[in-house]
Amino acid sequence: MPAAPAAKAGPRRPFRTTFWWYLIKRLGQAVLVIVIVTIIVFWLLHLAMPDGPGAGVLGMQADQAQIDRWNQDHGFDLPLWHQYLNYLVQVSHGDFGQSFKQASTVGALIALRLPKTLLLAGICIVIALAVALPMGIFQATRRGKVADYVLTWLNFLVYSTPSFFLGLIVIIVFSQKLGWLPATAPSGNPTVLALLEQPRVMVLPVITGTLGTIATFSRYMRSATIDNLSEDYVRTARSKGTSRARVITRHVVRNSLTPVIAMLGYYLPVMFGGMLVVESLFNYPGMGLLFWRSAQQGDYPVLLGCILVIALATVVGSLLADLIQAGLDPRTRGSLE
């Protein structure tokens, strides 16, 4: 019997249509992740404050009757699920609540502090990439040599050192011993422009935030460059007489940048976590310092607002990483279908 004809594959959808479907699906997943994060945070804060935030707001001088009355007036005597639903309705109207400790809304506090954190994180990322990418290429092209071993050892040393310890080291060296730079940022709430006008106060926080980022991205760039140096197209180009330097600069570097650039999206929430330590250590007036002081004071609405922003940064960073990788590397576009 003759073999049955193979079934014809259906027509493939255009990449543009597939992209939009993928984007809609990922946005739906992002909303779900944010909701799950807020549920977990609500539960954890409830465990941390079993008597409600009234005890933290009123202080140790308040008796139990005053604490119970405050919790009842602010709706914290309701079941946890009821409190959470009230919070969701409130946030859906663009209202993040009122700070318990500061005469301001949570939205206003975040809007005042977030640009300063973005400024610090942006400077750290730009400087780190400017150093880490050439370093990773340098190590890959000298794999197994003394320079590679030394830089790899230094990267692992910095990568494994906690940010607060790095910060203490730079404070001791550059502020206390040498006296070159101030150890803290200006007091109060200076604007972004005021911080830029005083670059000396930014140096130590930038150094602390940059060192770990350099160690991270140089490792990724080294690994990606080594993988690309072993590809067939490199051997083909070399066999045609193309110089090694030209192959590296024209082909290897470009292909190695794809996973590193995509990694930037995943690194966004990590940077927010790192800024929490750096800002607290140097008294830098950003989101990290706001979160730290709110946690010390039991300022429940501000804590929730900061965590919501970090959760949003996480899902947005993950989405951007996937979309950037799909745009830069056509081989990954099949994952969108």
Side-chain angles (χ1 to χ4, degrees):
M1 293 179 62
K8 293 183 178 180
R12 297 184 63 180
R13 288 181 295 175
F15 174 72
R16 183 176 298 177
T17 303
T18 306
F19 172 82
W20 285 112
W21 276 112
Y22 175 78
L23 182 60
I24 292 171
K25 182 178 70 174
R26 287 301 306 271
L27 289 176
Q29 293 173 348
V31 173
L32 180 61
V33 168
I34 291 174
V35 171
I36 292 174
V37 168
T38 55
I39 291 174
I40 295 174
V41 170
F42 239 87
W43 179 66
L44 291 176
L45 288 176
H46 178 72
L47 291 180
M49 296 182 287
D51 295 328
V57 174
L58 298 178
M60 297 181 63
Q61 70 276 11
D63 57 31
Q64 190 61 44
Q66 293 174 313
I67 293 173
D68 292 340
R69 190 179 310 113
W70 190 95
N71 287 332
Q72 185 176 6
D73 292 341
H74 292 82
F76 291 106
D77 61 327
L78 299 172
L80 190 60
W81 65 268
H82 198 165
Q83 295 181 41
Y84 178 74
L85 290 179
N86 289 341
Y87 178 73
L88 281 185
V89 172
Q90 181 178 313
V91 170
S92 67
H93 290 85
D95 182 10
F96 293 91
Q98 180 78 25
S99 170
F100 293 156
K101 291 292 185 177
Q102 305 183 56
S104 179
T105 63
V106 175
L109 290 172
I110 292 176
L112 182 65
R113 301 296 189 105
L114 183 58
K116 301 167 192 175
T117 295
L118 294 176
L119 171 67
L120 180 59
I123 293 174
C124 290
I125 288 178
V126 170
I127 295 176
L129 290 179
V131 176
L133 298 185
M135 182 187 295
I137 298 168
F138 176 83
Q139 288 183 256
T141 56
R142 288 159 179 80
R143 183 184 183 186
K145 297 183 178 180
V146 175
D148 181 33
Y149 283 122
V150 171
L151 290 175
T152 298
W153 182 82
L154 289 175
N155 282 335
F156 274 111
L157 179 64
V158 173
Y159 185 78
S160 60
T161 304
S163 298
F164 74 88
F165 191 69
L166 287 175
L168 290 175
I169 291 174
V170 299
I171 287 175
I172 292 172
V173 173
F174 295 105
S175 181
Q176 295 182 358
K177 296 296 184 182
L178 299 176
W180 291 350
L181 298 164
T184 59
S187 58
N189 288 315
T191 63
V192 171
L193 183 60
L195 289 172
L196 291 175
E197 291 174 347
Q198 305 176 64
R200 295 178 75 251
V201 304
M202 299 283 294
V203 174
L204 294 188
V206 167
I207 290 175
T208 306
T210 301
L211 288 175
T213 309
I214 290 174
T216 299
F217 280 98
S218 64
R219 291 171 59 208
Y220 277 105
M221 190 64 186
R222 177 184 181 274
S223 178
T225 304
I226 289 174
D227 289 342
N228 279 281
L229 284 172
S230 62
E231 293 289 339
D232 292 337
Y233 72 86
V234 174
R235 290 190 289 269
T236 302
R238 293 287 288 136
S239 66
K240 293 180 178 180
T242 308
S243 66
R244 188 167 185 264
R246 185 176 179 83
V247 171
I248 291 173
T249 56
R250 291 288 300 272
H251 303 288
V252 173
V253 171
R254 184 177 60 184
N255 292 334
S256 300
L257 283 175
T258 300
V260 175
I261 293 175
M263 188 61 197
L264 279 173
Y266 295 114
Y267 199 73
L268 185 60
V270 178
M271 283 295 297
F272 268 89
M275 291 303 103
L276 170 63
V277 177
V278 173
E279 292 179 8
S280 302
L281 186 62
F282 292 98
N283 198 42
Y284 182 85
M287 281 274 295
L289 186 61
L290 175 65
F291 183 87
W292 175 251
R293 288 181 175 173
S294 300
Q296 289 179 315
Q297 299 169 349
D299 203 341
Y300 192 87
V302 178
L303 283 176
L304 287 173
C306 291
I307 292 170
L308 191 62
V309 170
I310 294 173
L312 183 62
T314 302
V315 296
V316 169
S318 176
L319 178 62
L320 285 177
D322 290 343
L323 297 181
I324 289 172
Q325 193 160 10
L328 291 177
D329 190 354
R331 295 172 297 181
T332 64
R333 292 181 182 179
S335 63
L336 304 186
E337 301 178 359

